[in-house]
Amino acid sequence: SQPTSWFTIGGGGTKNNADLLIVEIEKRVDHLKSGNPTRRDLRILHRASQRIAASADVFEACTVAAEEVQKLTGHDRVMINQFDREWHGCIQVEVCSPGLSQQYLGLHFPASDIPPQARQLYKLNPFRMISTVNYTPSPIIPLMNPLTNDPLDLTFSSFRSVSPVHVQYLRNIGVESSMSISIVFNDVFQQQKKLWGLVVCHGQSPLFLAHDTRESCQLLGQLLSSRIESLLYSQTEERRTAMKSVVHELSSVNAPPSFDSSFPH
């Protein structure tokens, strides 16, 4: 797992896992120099919720969310990656800090970049943070749980270690820290949870976010997910209504002439 160096019990929360209670202990972040972070986050969330709710389309909602996530976290680059039906990704929105230029907007990425098992994890655990790609993984001791004889399931852990392949990928593109928020909502037509896309954040320097800020980011992700779900549903209903209207008009045009009983035989 990713290592921690100080001790705020309860900061990482607890999880039920095969009748086990898992307690995550994380470093306490000193906010004395930056004022009250909770109050600041609440102001940003309040503004973000209003802007997202007022968004006219999916692109506007995503743009607003990317802007507000950047204000919450301070990442240098925030992007919205949307999946298509084959799970290929496309960067639809990119927001950058002053002095940086857009590098990924409009780029497409193959489905193999995020394999099925990773996508499933994104659906189950919607938040992922790497405070620095140069961390040294901490081993799990013991490796096998003596009560279950199975490896510890870290699906819902905030500090689950990262694939070395992904870490090397981030290093290759000059990223020191990263964060992702899943855009997930219920697909009313398929009757299941849908992973629509990801809010992807990159930083050029190490960045550790306090627990409260991470919770604010997750809430903002839920607001965006709900808004996209609502907008897509409205678009689908509008298309259905328009299609029904077209079918009705075509039926009227192609209908056989009515029989006039008054016409003499």
Side-chain angles (χ1 to χ4, degrees), residues 14 73 78 83 86 108 129 146 173 175 198-199 242 251 255 258:
T14 59
T73 67
V78 179
F83 298 118
E86 302 298 325
H108 294 257
M129 180 184 72
I173 61 175
V175 172
L198 298 169
V199 181
S251 299
S258 58

Side-chain angles (χ1 to χ4, degrees), residues 165-201:
V165 175
H166 183 61
V167 170
Q168 189 58 50
Y169 166 76
L170 293 175
R171 287 174 177 158
N172 291 345
I173 61 175
V175 172
E176 174 73 23
S177 56
S178 75
M179 185 189 83
S180 64
I181 308 169
S182 304
I183 303 174
V184 180
F185 50 80
N186 291 320
D187 190 320
V188 295
F189 302 106
Q190 297 183 5
Q191 297 297 312
Q192 62 181 358
K193 272 190 173 183
K194 176 177 180 174
L195 178 63
W196 184 89
L198 298 169
V199 181
V200 181
C201 307

Side-chain angles (χ1 to χ4, degrees), residues 15-231:
K15 308 287 185 294
N16 289 317
N17 187 340
D19 298 324
L20 301 175
L21 188 65
I22 300 174
V23 179
E24 293 188 298
I25 303 173
E26 70 177 84
K27 182 178 180 179
R28 183 187 179 101
V29 179
D30 184 8
H31 288 289
L32 295 178
K33 297 180 181 179
S34 57
N36 189 319
T38 302
R39 191 171 300 170
R40 179 194 69 97
D41 290 357
L42 287 175
R43 287 198 301 267
I44 294 174
L45 276 176
H46 178 68
R47 180 180 60 244
S49 64
Q50 292 179 322
R51 295 182 65 198
I52 291 175
S55 57
D57 53 42
V58 172
F59 176 76
E60 182 182 353
C62 288
T63 301
V64 168
E67 292 172 349
E68 299 297 345
V69 165
Q70 189 183 45
K71 293 171 185 173
L72 270 172
T73 67
H75 281 95
D76 297 302
R77 194 182 308 274
V78 179
M79 298 162 284
I80 305 293
N81 180 21
Q82 180 186 358
F83 298 118
D84 64 15
R85 293 182 179 180
E86 302 298 325
W87 297 110
H88 306 302
C90 179
I91 303 301
Q92 302 288 2
V93 172
E94 182 179 7
V95 176
C96 304
S97 296
L100 294 181
S101 59
Q102 293 178 332
Q103 296 181 349
Y104 300 96
L105 184 64
L107 294 187
H108 294 257
F109 298 88
S112 57
D113 277 9
I114 305 179
Q117 64 269 26
R119 295 197 298 267
Q120 182 63 18
L121 282 173
Y122 279 123
K123 287 174 66 175
L124 295 173
N125 189 350
F127 186 87
R128 197 79 172 96
M129 180 184 72
I130 304 174
S131 56
T132 174
V133 295
N134 295 314
Y135 75 90
T136 301
S138 298
I140 301 294
I141 301 174
L143 185 61
M144 303 296 289
N145 188 324
L147 299 179
T148 63
N149 294 319
D150 292 318
L152 190 64
D153 184 356
L154 295 177
T155 297
F156 298 101
S157 170
S158 297
F159 302 111
R160 185 179 73 250
S161 195
V162 186
S163 163
V165 175
H166 183 61
V167 170
Q168 189 58 50
Y169 166 76
L170 293 175
R171 287 174 177 158
N172 291 345
I173 61 175
V175 172
E176 174 73 23
S177 56
S178 75
M179 185 189 83
S180 64
I181 308 169
S182 304
I183 303 174
V184 180
F185 50 80
N186 291 320
D187 190 320
V188 295
F189 302 106
Q190 297 183 5
Q191 297 297 312
Q192 62 181 358
K193 272 190 173 183
K194 176 177 180 174
L195 178 63
W196 184 89
L198 298 169
V199 181
V200 181
C201 307
H202 288 169
Q204 296 181 321
S205 58
L207 179 61
F208 181 84
L209 300 176
H211 179 260
D212 289 347
T213 300
R214 301 200 305 270
E215 290 289 314
S216 297
C217 289
Q218 290 189 62
L219 180 55
L220 201 155
Q222 292 170 9
L223 292 171
L224 175 61
S225 298
S226 297
R227 185 55 180 160
I228 291 177
E229 178 183 15
S230 176
L231 289 167

